[in-house]
Amino acid sequence: EADIYQTPRYLVIGTGKKITLECSQTMGHDKMYWYQQDPGMELHLIHYSYGVNSTEKGDLSSESTVSRIRTEHFPLTLESARPSHTSQYLCASSIRQSTDTQYFGPGTRLTVL
Amino acid sequence: EDQVTQSPEALRLQEGESSSLNCSYTVSGLRGLFWYRQDPGKGPEFLFTLYSAGEEKEKERLKATLTKKESFLHITAPKPEDSATYLCAVQGSGGYNKLIFGAGTRLAVHP
């Protein structure tokens, strides 16, 4: 059973605001990920991390940034939100091994007006 | 290029009516094929990992099978609580162990 948490679950904000989406896991997993998912569409990887102080961009270009200062915490920040950022953001984590099953949090649904 | 295609896009079943969902894939060096269940507004919930052709895994009314080109998720005597979107993903040997997801099959089971 996965223990991975995301806050807030829902967020409605105005254009130009800075936001941080929080993600925490209590499983001690080395690897963490951020995905973006629009309704009825595939999940697309936007950021990932292999461990503390390690962050990389994924396949889908994103204006967001991430940090990994602690193993259990992987926040995502948008410096200036725009309506095009409206989407569902999903955080996941996995054990570092050759085939890693990723466990997902409940997601944050972001709406930018 | 690694790719996953799921069919059908949507499936409506009567309670007790068994069926199968398909996941076709192309990947360089399959490391694993994953099935997830996703309820509306929630994150994907892990169901199965399959590693090699011929492998099968079961959980309650669900059974996942794998060949070299596709995977099937068989649903036996489904119940309304099985209604969800079922996602398939593959992990290849290239890159950074990323998962490539399909768009999913939306399953609705009616009483």
Side-chain angles (χ1 to χ4, degrees), chain A residues 4-113:
Chain A
I4 181 164
Y5 308 98
Q6 291 186 243
T7 57
R9 291 293 317 280
Y10 305 93
L11 181 61
V12 180
I13 61 167
T15 298
K17 299 291 186 182
K18 177 180 179 179
I19 61 166
T20 296
L21 307 184
E22 301 288 349
C23 176
S24 295
Q25 51 95 5
T26 59
M27 298 169 285
H29 286 172
D30 292 317
K31 297 167 88 170
M32 296 189 74
Y33 314 81
W34 276 103
Y35 290 86
Q36 189 171 338
Q37 184 183 32
D38 292 322
M41 303 296 288
E42 299 93 332
L43 279 73
H44 291 286
L45 183 69
I46 51 175
H47 297 284
Y48 65 99
S49 167
Y50 281 157
V52 172
N53 295 325
S54 155
T55 62
E56 301 288 345
K57 289 188 178 293
D59 292 335
L60 183 66
S61 176
S62 174
E63 294 166 348
S64 59
T65 59
V66 292
S67 62
R68 189 89 182 275
I69 299 173
R70 304 197 314 266
T71 298
E72 64 272 20
H73 195 214
F74 191 40
L76 181 147
T77 298
L78 277 166
E79 290 293 333
S80 180
R82 294 205 298 269
S84 61
H85 296 140
T86 295
S87 189
Q88 167 116 327
Y89 292 84
L90 292 160
C91 181
S93 70
S94 67
I95 298 172
R96 188 170 189 164
Q97 58 189 29
S98 60
T99 303
D100 46 17
T101 297
Q102 296 183 17
Y103 296 94
F104 285 82
T108 294
R109 178 157 299 282
L110 172 66
T111 301
V112 184
L113 303 175

